[in-house]
Amino acid sequence: MRPLYTLLLYLLTPFVLLRLLLRSRALPDYRRRWNERFGFVPRPEQPVAVWVHAVSVGESLAAMPLIKALVERHGRGRVWVTTTTPTGSARVTEALGDAVLHSYMPYDLPDAVARFIDRIRPGRVVIMETELWPNLFQALKRRRIPLLVANARLSPRSFRGYSRVRGFAADTLACCRVAAQSPADAERFRSLGAPQVTVMGNIKFDLALPEAQLAAGRELRERVGTQRPVWIAASTHEGEELAALQAHAALRRRWPDAVLILVPRHPQRFDEAARTIERQGLAYRRRSEPRAFGDAAVLLGDSMGEIFVYYAAGDAAFVGGSLVDVGGHNVLEPAAAGLPVLFGPRMHNFLPARELLLAREAAVEVADAAGLEPALTRLFEDAALRERMGAAGREAVAANRGALHKLLQELESA
């Protein structure tokens, strides 16, 4: 089946490039560095000890503790990090600078993959979460380069999709070891035919809170107003900004000075979110604007890599991608910051984290957009409840640390 898959990839490549051009109208970086997507990267001056791939911002943030530990272990310039999206690329560059080598991930075309591997010559490869690339995995196997799919998760929905091509999936998974987030994830990988699966937990629990961002968040809260109720709607998608703004307008009927920090998931949607705020008739400021916040009702978080600034400035957090059919985003970050967490019913990409926070009474799941305002009202009415939920979230995250150490041991044993 792999020859058919490869043929389809070559046939689709022109359309993929066209899609990059179309997306570049909103985010110009999509039209840059195309050579990297075909494996044309400079040869490193010294051997690459580990190549780590993290597709976008979420995966890059999850991989950050691992990448930093690998740099500390192997030295600067000996870890190569790839991403797929410009936002992921920007996050890696901003957080790690020249401590790592960085490029886009090559497309899963045999010549592009071979060219890339032969140029960087990695000693080991780590693919974050669930990025299964048949040609890449086979190329690494032929070269006897150890491959680990780390922090691996496989939702029931994704499992059903891969089950339709079970033999093809099994051939791909036979090329790697899988370090699964949970026993349920591990069982789904084994059911697809993965021969080497271990449960190591979720390294997102090992994310260190960035002190500089926490300090900046406290300063932001001072500027917004320490006595004003503040909540965050983070990583929102189309439709969720409107839901958050409508909930906020209802909240302001009881708390006229309440503030919403609205943080869209993708930077190309910042301006769209601003127009949505304007249509709701709410006064707002942008994070990127230097002027004073004043009595504005909304702060638009139009910056990248500052999520803990926003969490440190708030009293509660709603995490997006959960009211729409995306599958949710990282609810462990606001929990680690000590905030009560809200999310919608579509959390299939973060089921273990969802179950943990609900079991610890650190989070509230709302059934739909209409459930946001009552849940927030309850939290704003009860400071003791906010404190209990925030403390429970911090404790839940702290109690589940340790996956990073296991992953490093697994890599060293390859």
Side-chain angles (χ1 to χ4, degrees), residues 271-323:
D271 291 341
E272 178 187 342
R275 291 190 291 269
T276 302
I277 299 169
E278 291 168 355
R279 285 194 293 269
Q280 296 303 301
L282 293 167
Y284 75 100
R285 297 287 185 272
R286 289 177 177 255
R287 167 70 171 159
S288 59
E289 294 175 337
R291 56 190 176 135
F293 187 76
D295 60 354
V298 180
L299 173 64
L300 176 59
D302 60 346
S303 63
M304 294 297 295
E306 285 197 317
I307 194 62
F308 283 103
V309 173
Y310 302 127
Y311 286 148
D315 300 308
F318 163 74
V319 179
S322 59
L323 289 175

Side-chain angles (χ1 to χ4, degrees), residues 59-259:
E59 293 79 9
S60 300
L61 287 171
M64 209 58 68
L66 174 63
I67 295 169
K68 290 178 178 178
L70 291 172
V71 170
E72 184 176 341
R73 181 164 297 188
H74 297 287
R76 298 173 67 87
R78 297 204 60 213
V79 177
W80 194 295
V81 181
T82 57
T83 60
T84 299
T85 67
T87 51
S89 175
R91 183 70 190 114
V92 168
T93 302
E94 175 187 302
L96 299 167
D98 61 2
V100 301
L101 304 170
H102 169 63
S103 70
Y104 285 132
M105 174 82 154
Y107 291 138
D108 198 34
L109 304 167
D111 54 338
V113 164
R115 184 181 302 114
F116 184 80
I117 296 172
D118 291 342
R119 290 191 176 203
I120 75 166
R121 295 163 295 148
R124 295 177 177 84
V125 179
V126 179
I127 304 290
M128 295 299 298
E129 301 203 359
T130 313
E131 290 276 301
L132 305 181
W133 298 109
N135 287 324
L136 170 63
F137 284 26
Q138 289 289 343
L140 292 170
K141 182 180 180 181
R142 284 195 300 271
R143 290 164 174 78
R144 298 183 180 181
I145 299 173
L147 168 62
L148 177 68
V149 180
N151 218 45
R153 59 183 173 89
L154 193 62
S155 69
R157 175 183 296 185
S158 297
F159 173 73
R160 289 192 295 271
Y162 282 118
S163 293
R164 298 189 185 100
V165 288
R166 190 179 295 268
F168 190 31
D171 288 344
T172 301
L173 290 167
C175 302
C176 65
R177 292 172 296 148
V178 176
Q181 289 187 16
S182 71
D185 291 309
E187 183 55 37
R188 285 190 280 269
F189 277 107
R190 291 190 187 104
S191 295
L192 287 178
Q196 301 180 71
V197 183
T198 53
V199 179
M200 293 196 182
N202 188 343
I203 66 169
K204 290 181 179 178
F205 287 105
D206 291 281
L207 180 66
L209 296 179
E211 285 301 325
Q213 288 199 29
L214 298 181
R218 291 189 289 268
E219 191 273 334
L220 175 62
R221 181 59 181 263
E222 290 284 340
R223 289 193 282 118
V224 169
T226 56
Q227 301 304 310
R228 302 175 70 177
V230 178
W231 68 288
I232 301 99
S235 295
T236 54
H237 292 255
E238 184 176 1
E240 291 181 319
E241 288 92 7
L242 179 59
L245 290 164
Q246 290 175 339
H248 189 57
L251 286 170
R252 281 175 62 86
R253 287 194 282 271
R254 180 164 180 182
W255 292 279
D257 60 345
V259 176

Side-chain angles (χ1 to χ4, degrees), residues 252-272:
R252 281 175 62 86
R253 287 194 282 271
R254 180 164 180 182
W255 292 279
D257 60 345
V259 176
L260 164 63
I261 301 177
L262 184 60
V263 189
R265 176 71 174 180
H266 299 114
Q268 59 266 36
R269 298 193 59 254
F270 290 160
D271 291 341
E272 178 187 342

